[in-house]
PDB file of all heavy atoms in Angstrom:
ATOM      1  N   ILE A  37      -3.921   7.548   6.125  1.00  0.00           N
ATOM      2  CA  ILE A  37      -3.629   8.834   5.517  1.00  0.00           C
ATOM      3  C   ILE A  37      -2.981   9.730   6.556  1.00  0.00           C
ATOM      4  O   ILE A  37      -3.553   9.958   7.628  1.00  0.00           O
ATOM      5  CB  ILE A  37      -4.919   9.481   4.965  1.00  0.00           C
ATOM      6  CG1 ILE A  37      -5.541   8.565   3.894  1.00  0.00           C
ATOM      7  CG2 ILE A  37      -4.633  10.870   4.412  1.00  0.00           C
ATOM      8  CD1 ILE A  37      -6.878   9.019   3.376  1.00  0.00           C
ATOM      9  N   GLU A  38      -1.783  10.218   6.231  1.00  0.00           N
ATOM     10  CA  GLU A  38      -1.117  11.173   7.114  1.00  0.00           C
ATOM     11  C   GLU A  38      -1.787  12.529   6.918  1.00  0.00           C
ATOM     12  O   GLU A  38      -1.742  13.102   5.833  1.00  0.00           O
ATOM     13  CB  GLU A  38       0.366  11.262   6.778  1.00  0.00           C
ATOM     14  CG  GLU A  38       1.119  12.210   7.677  1.00  0.00           C
ATOM     15  CD  GLU A  38       2.581  12.346   7.316  1.00  0.00           C
ATOM     16  OE1 GLU A  38       3.070  11.637   6.409  1.00  0.00           O
ATOM     17  OE2 GLU A  38       3.244  13.191   7.942  1.00  0.00           O
ATOM     18  N   MET A  39      -2.421  13.015   7.964  1.00  0.00           N
ATOM     19  CA  MET A  39      -3.177  14.264   7.908  1.00  0.00           C
ATOM     20  C   MET A  39      -2.287  15.412   8.366  1.00  0.00           C
ATOM     21  O   MET A  39      -1.778  15.382   9.488  1.00  0.00           O
ATOM     22  CB  MET A  39      -4.395  14.171   8.813  1.00  0.00           C
ATOM     23  CG  MET A  39      -5.261  12.949   8.574  1.00  0.00           C
ATOM     24  SD  MET A  39      -6.352  13.148   7.218  1.00  0.00           S
ATOM     25  CE  MET A  39      -7.472  14.329   7.899  1.00  0.00           C
ATOM     26  N   ILE A  40      -2.119  16.410   7.503  1.00  0.00           N
ATOM     27  CA  ILE A  40      -1.274  17.552   7.823  1.00  0.00           C
ATOM     28  C   ILE A  40      -2.117  18.816   7.748  1.00  0.00           C
ATOM     29  O   ILE A  40      -2.500  19.243   6.658  1.00  0.00           O
ATOM     30  CB  ILE A  40      -0.070  17.630   6.868  1.00  0.00           C
ATOM     31  CG1 ILE A  40       0.736  16.327   6.975  1.00  0.00           C
ATOM     32  CG2 ILE A  40       0.778  18.858   7.174  1.00  0.00           C
ATOM     33  CD1 ILE A  40       1.629  16.051   5.820  1.00  0.00           C
ATOM     34  N   GLU A  41      -2.437  19.373   8.904  1.00  0.00           N
ATOM     35  CA  GLU A  41      -3.215  20.620   8.966  1.00  0.00           C
ATOM     36  C   GLU A  41      -2.215  21.740   8.720  1.00  0.00           C
ATOM     37  O   GLU A  41      -1.363  22.015   9.552  1.00  0.00           O
ATOM     38  CB  GLU A  41      -3.891  20.756  10.331  1.00  0.00           C
ATOM     39  CG  GLU A  41      -5.182  21.539  10.358  1.00  0.00           C
ATOM     40  CD  GLU A  41      -5.113  23.021   9.996  1.00  0.00           C
ATOM     41  OE1 GLU A  41      -4.030  23.602   9.920  1.00  0.00           O
ATOM     42  OE2 GLU A  41      -6.192  23.599   9.801  1.00  0.00           O
ATOM     43  N   GLU A  42      -2.313  22.354   7.541  1.00  0.00           N
ATOM     44  CA  GLU A  42      -1.237  23.247   7.106  1.00  0.00           C
ATOM     45  C   GLU A  42      -1.056  24.482   7.970  1.00  0.00           C
ATOM     46  O   GLU A  42       0.057  24.998   8.058  1.00  0.00           O
ATOM     47  CB  GLU A  42      -1.404  23.628   5.637  1.00  0.00           C
ATOM     48  CG  GLU A  42      -2.554  24.527   5.356  1.00  0.00           C
ATOM     49  CD  GLU A  42      -2.526  25.074   3.924  1.00  0.00           C
ATOM     50  OE1 GLU A  42      -1.864  24.508   3.048  1.00  0.00           O
ATOM     51  OE2 GLU A  42      -3.176  26.101   3.718  1.00  0.00           O
ATOM     52  N   THR A  43      -2.081  24.966   8.639  1.00  0.00           N
ATOM     53  CA  THR A  43      -1.892  26.149   9.489  1.00  0.00           C
ATOM     54  C   THR A  43      -1.197  25.787  10.795  1.00  0.00           C
ATOM     55  O   THR A  43      -0.593  26.645  11.424  1.00  0.00           O
ATOM     56  CB  THR A  43      -3.229  26.859   9.784  1.00  0.00           C
ATOM     57  OG1 THR A  43      -4.089  25.980  10.524  1.00  0.00           O
ATOM     58  CG2 THR A  43      -3.924  27.298   8.507  1.00  0.00           C
ATOM     59  N   GLN A  44      -1.287  24.517  11.197  1.00  0.00           N
ATOM     60  CA  GLN A  44      -0.633  24.065  12.420  1.00  0.00           C
ATOM     61  C   GLN A  44       0.751  23.473  12.156  1.00  0.00           C
ATOM     62  O   GLN A  44       1.568  23.384  13.062  1.00  0.00           O
ATOM     63  CB  GLN A  44      -1.512  23.031  13.131  1.00  0.00           C
ATOM     64  CG  GLN A  44      -2.831  23.611  13.595  1.00  0.00           C
ATOM     65  CD  GLN A  44      -3.755  22.544  14.156  1.00  0.00           C
ATOM     66  OE1 GLN A  44      -3.367  21.393  14.352  1.00  0.00           O
ATOM     67  NE2 GLN A  44      -4.998  22.917  14.408  1.00  0.00           N
ATOM     68  N   GLN A  45       0.994  23.036  10.923  1.00  0.00           N
ATOM     69  CA  GLN A  45       2.269  22.427  10.556  1.00  0.00           C
ATOM     70  C   GLN A  45       2.821  23.139   9.312  1.00  0.00           C
ATOM     71  O   GLN A  45       3.177  22.500   8.323  1.00  0.00           O
ATOM     72  CB  GLN A  45       2.081  20.939  10.283  1.00  0.00           C
ATOM     73  CG  GLN A  45       1.670  20.155  11.515  1.00  0.00           C
ATOM     74  CD  GLN A  45       1.462  18.698  11.179  1.00  0.00           C
ATOM     75  OE1 GLN A  45       0.432  18.315  10.654  1.00  0.00           O
ATOM     76  NE2 GLN A  45       2.465  17.884  11.483  1.00  0.00           N
ATOM     77  N   SER A  46       2.912  24.447   9.392  1.00  0.00           N
ATOM     78  CA  SER A  46       3.292  25.241   8.216  1.00  0.00           C
ATOM     79  C   SER A  46       4.706  24.935   7.723  1.00  0.00           C
ATOM     80  O   SER A  46       4.958  24.972   6.519  1.00  0.00           O
ATOM     81  CB  SER A  46       3.122  26.731   8.499  1.00  0.00           C
ATOM     82  OG  SER A  46       3.912  27.130   9.591  1.00  0.00           O
ATOM     83  N   GLU A  47       5.629  24.637   8.633  1.00  0.00           N
ATOM     84  CA  GLU A  47       6.998  24.330   8.198  1.00  0.00           C
ATOM     85  C   GLU A  47       7.021  23.084   7.321  1.00  0.00           C
ATOM     86  O   GLU A  47       7.724  23.038   6.310  1.00  0.00           O
ATOM     87  CB  GLU A  47       7.922  24.157   9.396  1.00  0.00           C
ATOM     88  CG  GLU A  47       8.260  25.472  10.075  1.00  0.00           C
ATOM     89  CD  GLU A  47       9.247  25.302  11.219  1.00  0.00           C
ATOM     90  OE1 GLU A  47       9.957  24.273  11.261  1.00  0.00           O
ATOM     91  OE2 GLU A  47       9.300  26.210  12.061  1.00  0.00           O
ATOM     92  N   LEU A  48       6.248  22.072   7.690  1.00  0.00           N
ATOM     93  CA  LEU A  48       6.157  20.852   6.884  1.00  0.00           C
ATOM     94  C   LEU A  48       5.421  21.147   5.577  1.00  0.00           C
ATOM     95  O   LEU A  48       5.869  20.753   4.498  1.00  0.00           O
ATOM     96  CB  LEU A  48       5.448  19.744   7.664  1.00  0.00           C
ATOM     97  CG  LEU A  48       5.215  18.434   6.917  1.00  0.00           C
ATOM     98  CD1 LEU A  48       6.530  17.839   6.434  1.00  0.00           C
ATOM     99  CD2 LEU A  48       4.469  17.454   7.794  1.00  0.00           C
ATOM    100  N   ALA A  49       4.304  21.842   5.654  1.00  0.00           N
ATOM    101  CA  ALA A  49       3.514  22.155   4.460  1.00  0.00           C
ATOM    102  C   ALA A  49       4.329  22.954   3.450  1.00  0.00           C
ATOM    103  O   ALA A  49       4.182  22.750   2.236  1.00  0.00           O
ATOM    104  CB  ALA A  49       2.249  22.906   4.861  1.00  0.00           C
ATOM    105  N   ASP A  50       5.178  23.840   3.919  1.00  0.00           N
ATOM    106  CA  ASP A  50       5.983  24.674   3.030  1.00  0.00           C
ATOM    107  C   ASP A  50       7.003  23.871   2.217  1.00  0.00           C
ATOM    108  O   ASP A  50       7.543  24.371   1.231  1.00  0.00           O
ATOM    109  CB  ASP A  50       6.710  25.765   3.823  1.00  0.00           C
ATOM    110  CG  ASP A  50       5.777  26.853   4.319  1.00  0.00           C
ATOM    111  OD1 ASP A  50       4.621  26.929   3.819  1.00  0.00           O
ATOM    112  OD2 ASP A  50       6.198  27.621   5.206  1.00  0.00           O
ATOM    113  N   GLN A  51       7.234  22.637   2.611  1.00  0.00           N
ATOM    114  CA  GLN A  51       8.183  21.794   1.882  1.00  0.00           C
ATOM    115  C   GLN A  51       7.560  21.144   0.643  1.00  0.00           C
ATOM    116  O   GLN A  51       8.248  20.502  -0.141  1.00  0.00           O
ATOM    117  CB  GLN A  51       8.729  20.699   2.803  1.00  0.00           C
ATOM    118  CG  GLN A  51       9.524  21.245   3.961  1.00  0.00           C
ATOM    119  CD  GLN A  51       9.927  20.155   4.938  1.00  0.00           C
ATOM    120  OE1 GLN A  51      10.020  18.987   4.578  1.00  0.00           O
ATOM    121  NE2 GLN A  51      10.159  20.533   6.178  1.00  0.00           N
ATOM    122  N   TYR A  52       6.252  21.325   0.467  1.00  0.00           N
ATOM    123  CA  TYR A  52       5.536  20.703  -0.643  1.00  0.00           C
ATOM    124  C   TYR A  52       5.014  21.764  -1.599  1.00  0.00           C
ATOM    125  O   TYR A  52       4.692  22.882  -1.197  1.00  0.00           O
ATOM    126  CB  TYR A  52       4.384  19.848  -0.109  1.00  0.00           C
ATOM    127  CG  TYR A  52       4.896  18.601   0.578  1.00  0.00           C
ATOM    128  CD1 TYR A  52       5.328  18.647   1.899  1.00  0.00           C
ATOM    129  CD2 TYR A  52       4.969  17.393  -0.100  1.00  0.00           C
ATOM    130  CE1 TYR A  52       5.829  17.518   2.529  1.00  0.00           C
ATOM    131  CE2 TYR A  52       5.469  16.259   0.517  1.00  0.00           C
ATOM    132  CZ  TYR A  52       5.889  16.331   1.835  1.00  0.00           C
ATOM    133  OH  TYR A  52       6.378  15.207   2.444  1.00  0.00           O
ATOM    134  N   ASP A  53       4.908  21.390  -2.870  1.00  0.00           N
ATOM    135  CA  ASP A  53       4.503  22.310  -3.920  1.00  0.00           C
ATOM    136  C   ASP A  53       2.995  22.190  -4.189  1.00  0.00           C
ATOM    137  O   ASP A  53       2.561  21.331  -4.963  1.00  0.00           O
ATOM    138  CB  ASP A  53       5.293  22.011  -5.199  1.00  0.00           C
ATOM    139  CG  ASP A  53       4.957  22.978  -6.312  1.00  0.00           C
ATOM    140  OD1 ASP A  53       4.581  24.126  -6.027  1.00  0.00           O
ATOM    141  OD2 ASP A  53       5.062  22.567  -7.488  1.00  0.00           O
ATOM    142  N   TYR A  54       2.221  23.020  -3.534  1.00  0.00           N
ATOM    143  CA  TYR A  54       0.783  23.089  -3.779  1.00  0.00           C
ATOM    144  C   TYR A  54       0.293  24.460  -3.348  1.00  0.00           C
ATOM    145  O   TYR A  54       0.969  25.187  -2.638  1.00  0.00           O
ATOM    146  CB  TYR A  54       0.031  21.976  -3.044  1.00  0.00           C
ATOM    147  CG  TYR A  54      -0.025  22.148  -1.548  1.00  0.00           C
ATOM    148  CD1 TYR A  54      -1.118  22.751  -0.944  1.00  0.00           C
ATOM    149  CD2 TYR A  54       1.018  21.723  -0.737  1.00  0.00           C
ATOM    150  CE1 TYR A  54      -1.170  22.930   0.430  1.00  0.00           C
ATOM    151  CE2 TYR A  54       0.979  21.896   0.636  1.00  0.00           C
ATOM    152  CZ  TYR A  54      -0.114  22.499   1.205  1.00  0.00           C
ATOM    153  OH  TYR A  54      -0.171  22.684   2.558  1.00  0.00           O
ATOM    154  N   TYR A  55      -0.909  24.802  -3.795  1.00  0.00           N
ATOM    155  CA  TYR A  55      -1.478  26.095  -3.466  1.00  0.00           C
ATOM    156  C   TYR A  55      -2.818  25.970  -2.753  1.00  0.00           C
ATOM    157  O   TYR A  55      -3.103  26.699  -1.827  1.00  0.00           O
ATOM    158  CB  TYR A  55      -1.631  26.927  -4.749  1.00  0.00           C
ATOM    159  CG  TYR A  55      -2.013  28.360  -4.487  1.00  0.00           C
ATOM    160  CD1 TYR A  55      -1.089  29.272  -3.988  1.00  0.00           C
ATOM    161  CD2 TYR A  55      -3.305  28.798  -4.723  1.00  0.00           C
ATOM    162  CE1 TYR A  55      -1.434  30.587  -3.732  1.00  0.00           C
ATOM    163  CE2 TYR A  55      -3.669  30.115  -4.471  1.00  0.00           C
ATOM    164  CZ  TYR A  55      -2.735  31.004  -3.982  1.00  0.00           C
ATOM    165  OH  TYR A  55      -3.084  32.297  -3.728  1.00  0.00           O
ATOM    166  N   TYR A  56      -3.650  25.031  -3.210  1.00  0.00           N
ATOM    167  CA  TYR A  56      -4.999  24.862  -2.658  1.00  0.00           C
ATOM    168  C   TYR A  56      -5.094  23.604  -1.802  1.00  0.00           C
ATOM    169  O   TYR A  56      -4.342  22.648  -2.004  1.00  0.00           O
ATOM    170  CB  TYR A  56      -6.029  24.752  -3.781  1.00  0.00           C
ATOM    171  CG  TYR A  56      -6.117  25.975  -4.646  1.00  0.00           C
ATOM    172  CD1 TYR A  56      -5.591  25.983  -5.928  1.00  0.00           C
ATOM    173  CD2 TYR A  56      -6.727  27.134  -4.186  1.00  0.00           C
ATOM    174  CE1 TYR A  56      -5.665  27.113  -6.731  1.00  0.00           C
ATOM    175  CE2 TYR A  56      -6.813  28.268  -4.980  1.00  0.00           C
ATOM    176  CZ  TYR A  56      -6.281  28.245  -6.248  1.00  0.00           C
ATOM    177  OH  TYR A  56      -6.352  29.370  -7.036  1.00  0.00           O
ATOM    178  N   VAL A  57      -6.029  23.609  -0.880  1.00  0.00           N
ATOM    179  CA  VAL A  57      -6.355  22.410  -0.107  1.00  0.00           C
ATOM    180  C   VAL A  57      -7.782  21.998  -0.446  1.00  0.00           C
ATOM    181  O   VAL A  57      -8.574  22.853  -0.838  1.00  0.00           O
ATOM    182  CB  VAL A  57      -6.203  22.654   1.416  1.00  0.00           C
ATOM    183  CG1 VAL A  57      -4.754  22.787   1.786  1.00  0.00           C
ATOM    184  CG2 VAL A  57      -7.003  23.831   1.907  1.00  0.00           C
ATOM    185  N   PRO A  58      -8.103  20.737  -0.310  1.00  0.00           N
ATOM    186  CA  PRO A  58      -7.228  19.626   0.068  1.00  0.00           C
ATOM    187  C   PRO A  58      -6.278  19.246  -1.063  1.00  0.00           C
ATOM    188  O   PRO A  58      -6.631  19.324  -2.225  1.00  0.00           O
ATOM    189  CB  PRO A  58      -8.212  18.500   0.359  1.00  0.00           C
ATOM    190  CG  PRO A  58      -9.387  18.777  -0.525  1.00  0.00           C
ATOM    191  CD  PRO A  58      -9.484  20.275  -0.588  1.00  0.00           C
ATOM    192  N   THR A  59      -5.089  18.838  -0.668  1.00  0.00           N
ATOM    193  CA  THR A  59      -4.107  18.326  -1.618  1.00  0.00           C
ATOM    194  C   THR A  59      -3.652  16.954  -1.131  1.00  0.00           C
ATOM    195  O   THR A  59      -3.343  16.784   0.042  1.00  0.00           O
ATOM    196  CB  THR A  59      -2.901  19.266  -1.747  1.00  0.00           C
ATOM    197  OG1 THR A  59      -3.344  20.484  -2.335  1.00  0.00           O
ATOM    198  CG2 THR A  59      -1.811  18.666  -2.618  1.00  0.00           C
ATOM    199  N   PHE A  60      -3.628  16.013  -2.058  1.00  0.00           N
ATOM    200  CA  PHE A  60      -3.225  14.645  -1.757  1.00  0.00           C
ATOM    201  C   PHE A  60      -1.931  14.306  -2.482  1.00  0.00           C
ATOM    202  O   PHE A  60      -1.792  14.584  -3.674  1.00  0.00           O
ATOM    203  CB  PHE A  60      -4.297  13.651  -2.229  1.00  0.00           C
ATOM    204  CG  PHE A  60      -5.564  13.705  -1.438  1.00  0.00           C
ATOM    205  CD1 PHE A  60      -6.564  14.605  -1.776  1.00  0.00           C
ATOM    206  CD2 PHE A  60      -5.771  12.856  -0.368  1.00  0.00           C
ATOM    207  CE1 PHE A  60      -7.741  14.664  -1.058  1.00  0.00           C
ATOM    208  CE2 PHE A  60      -6.945  12.906   0.353  1.00  0.00           C
ATOM    209  CZ  PHE A  60      -7.933  13.816   0.009  1.00  0.00           C
ATOM    210  N   TYR A  61      -1.015  13.696  -1.742  1.00  0.00           N
ATOM    211  CA  TYR A  61       0.204  13.126  -2.301  1.00  0.00           C
ATOM    212  C   TYR A  61       0.136  11.619  -2.070  1.00  0.00           C
ATOM    213  O   TYR A  61      -0.150  11.172  -0.960  1.00  0.00           O
ATOM    214  CB  TYR A  61       1.448  13.676  -1.604  1.00  0.00           C
ATOM    215  CG  TYR A  61       1.869  15.044  -2.078  1.00  0.00           C
ATOM    216  CD1 TYR A  61       1.230  16.179  -1.628  1.00  0.00           C
ATOM    217  CD2 TYR A  61       2.917  15.188  -2.987  1.00  0.00           C
ATOM    218  CE1 TYR A  61       1.613  17.445  -2.063  1.00  0.00           C
ATOM    219  CE2 TYR A  61       3.311  16.446  -3.427  1.00  0.00           C
ATOM    220  CZ  TYR A  61       2.657  17.568  -2.959  1.00  0.00           C
ATOM    221  OH  TYR A  61       3.040  18.804  -3.400  1.00  0.00           O
ATOM    222  N   VAL A  62       0.390  10.859  -3.120  1.00  0.00           N
ATOM    223  CA  VAL A  62       0.438   9.397  -3.020  1.00  0.00           C
ATOM    224  C   VAL A  62       1.834   8.963  -3.438  1.00  0.00           C
ATOM    225  O   VAL A  62       2.277   9.282  -4.544  1.00  0.00           O
ATOM    226  CB  VAL A  62      -0.627   8.725  -3.912  1.00  0.00           C
ATOM    227  CG1 VAL A  62      -0.470   7.208  -3.887  1.00  0.00           C
ATOM    228  CG2 VAL A  62      -2.036   9.127  -3.466  1.00  0.00           C
ATOM    229  N   ASP A  63       2.504   8.294  -2.537  1.00  0.00           N
ATOM    230  CA  ASP A  63       3.866   7.807  -2.784  1.00  0.00           C
ATOM    231  C   ASP A  63       4.784   8.958  -3.202  1.00  0.00           C
ATOM    232  O   ASP A  63       5.602   8.828  -4.099  1.00  0.00           O
ATOM    233  CB  ASP A  63       3.845   6.704  -3.836  1.00  0.00           C
ATOM    234  CG  ASP A  63       5.017   5.741  -3.703  1.00  0.00           C
ATOM    235  OD1 ASP A  63       5.674   5.724  -2.634  1.00  0.00           O
ATOM    236  OD2 ASP A  63       5.280   5.011  -4.669  1.00  0.00           O
ATOM    237  N   GLY A  64       4.590  10.134  -2.567  1.00  0.00           N
ATOM    238  CA  GLY A  64       5.442  11.285  -2.804  1.00  0.00           C
ATOM    239  C   GLY A  64       5.090  12.126  -4.018  1.00  0.00           C
ATOM    240  O   GLY A  64       5.753  13.115  -4.293  1.00  0.00           O
ATOM    241  N   VAL A  65       4.029  11.762  -4.745  1.00  0.00           N
ATOM    242  CA  VAL A  65       3.630  12.475  -5.960  1.00  0.00           C
ATOM    243  C   VAL A  65       2.274  13.145  -5.735  1.00  0.00           C
ATOM    244  O   VAL A  65       1.331  12.500  -5.264  1.00  0.00           O
ATOM    245  CB  VAL A  65       3.535  11.501  -7.165  1.00  0.00           C
ATOM    246  CG1 VAL A  65       3.033  12.210  -8.412  1.00  0.00           C
ATOM    247  CG2 VAL A  65       4.877  10.835  -7.417  1.00  0.00           C
ATOM    248  N   LYS A  66       2.188  14.423  -6.085  1.00  0.00           N
ATOM    249  CA  LYS A  66       0.909  15.121  -5.953  1.00  0.00           C
ATOM    250  C   LYS A  66      -0.062  14.544  -6.969  1.00  0.00           C
ATOM    251  O   LYS A  66       0.202  14.538  -8.160  1.00  0.00           O
ATOM    252  CB  LYS A  66       1.088  16.622  -6.174  1.00  0.00           C
ATOM    253  CG  LYS A  66      -0.206  17.401  -6.025  1.00  0.00           C
ATOM    254  CD  LYS A  66      -0.035  18.901  -6.005  1.00  0.00           C
ATOM    255  CE  LYS A  66       0.729  19.425  -7.174  1.00  0.00           C
ATOM    256  NZ  LYS A  66       0.802  20.890  -7.214  1.00  0.00           N
ATOM    257  N   VAL A  67      -1.207  14.043  -6.477  1.00  0.00           N
ATOM    258  CA  VAL A  67      -2.192  13.426  -7.362  1.00  0.00           C
ATOM    259  C   VAL A  67      -3.495  14.214  -7.435  1.00  0.00           C
ATOM    260  O   VAL A  67      -4.298  13.984  -8.336  1.00  0.00           O
ATOM    261  CB  VAL A  67      -2.483  11.961  -6.972  1.00  0.00           C
ATOM    262  CG1 VAL A  67      -1.247  11.097  -7.160  1.00  0.00           C
ATOM    263  CG2 VAL A  67      -3.015  11.861  -5.559  1.00  0.00           C
ATOM    264  N   HIS A  68      -3.718  15.115  -6.482  1.00  0.00           N
ATOM    265  CA  HIS A  68      -4.937  15.926  -6.529  1.00  0.00           C
ATOM    266  C   HIS A  68      -4.752  17.180  -5.680  1.00  0.00           C
ATOM    267  O   HIS A  68      -4.218  17.111  -4.581  1.00  0.00           O
ATOM    268  CB  HIS A  68      -6.148  15.140  -6.018  1.00  0.00           C
ATOM    269  CG  HIS A  68      -7.427  15.861  -6.261  1.00  0.00           C
ATOM    270  ND1 HIS A  68      -8.152  15.698  -7.415  1.00  0.00           N
ATOM    271  CD2 HIS A  68      -8.086  16.791  -5.544  1.00  0.00           C
ATOM    272  CE1 HIS A  68      -9.205  16.499  -7.371  1.00  0.00           C
ATOM    273  NE2 HIS A  68      -9.188  17.169  -6.242  1.00  0.00           N
ATOM    274  N   GLU A  69      -5.259  18.298  -6.226  1.00  0.00           N
ATOM    275  CA  GLU A  69      -5.189  19.567  -5.511  1.00  0.00           C
ATOM    276  C   GLU A  69      -6.506  20.301  -5.698  1.00  0.00           C
ATOM    277  O   GLU A  69      -7.012  20.391  -6.806  1.00  0.00           O
ATOM    278  CB  GLU A  69      -4.032  20.408  -6.057  1.00  0.00           C
ATOM    279  CG  GLU A  69      -3.867  21.732  -5.345  1.00  0.00           C
ATOM    280  CD  GLU A  69      -2.610  22.479  -5.799  1.00  0.00           C
ATOM    281  OE1 GLU A  69      -1.825  21.940  -6.593  1.00  0.00           O
ATOM    282  OE2 GLU A  69      -2.430  23.612  -5.338  1.00  0.00           O
TER     283      GLU A  69
END
Side-chain angles (χ1 to χ4, degrees):
I37 300 174
E38 181 182 355
M39 308 279 290
I40 301 160
E41 208 296 347
E42 70 170 20
T43 63
Q44 296 174 9
Q45 295 178 280
S46 59
E47 286 183 20
L48 177 58
D50 288 345
Q51 296 174 24
Y52 289 82
D53 182 28
Y54 71 95
Y55 189 74
Y56 298 106
V57 289
T59 294
F60 291 87
Y61 280 79
V62 175
D63 206 16
V65 176
K66 181 170 53 175
V67 295
H68 189 90
E69 181 173 355

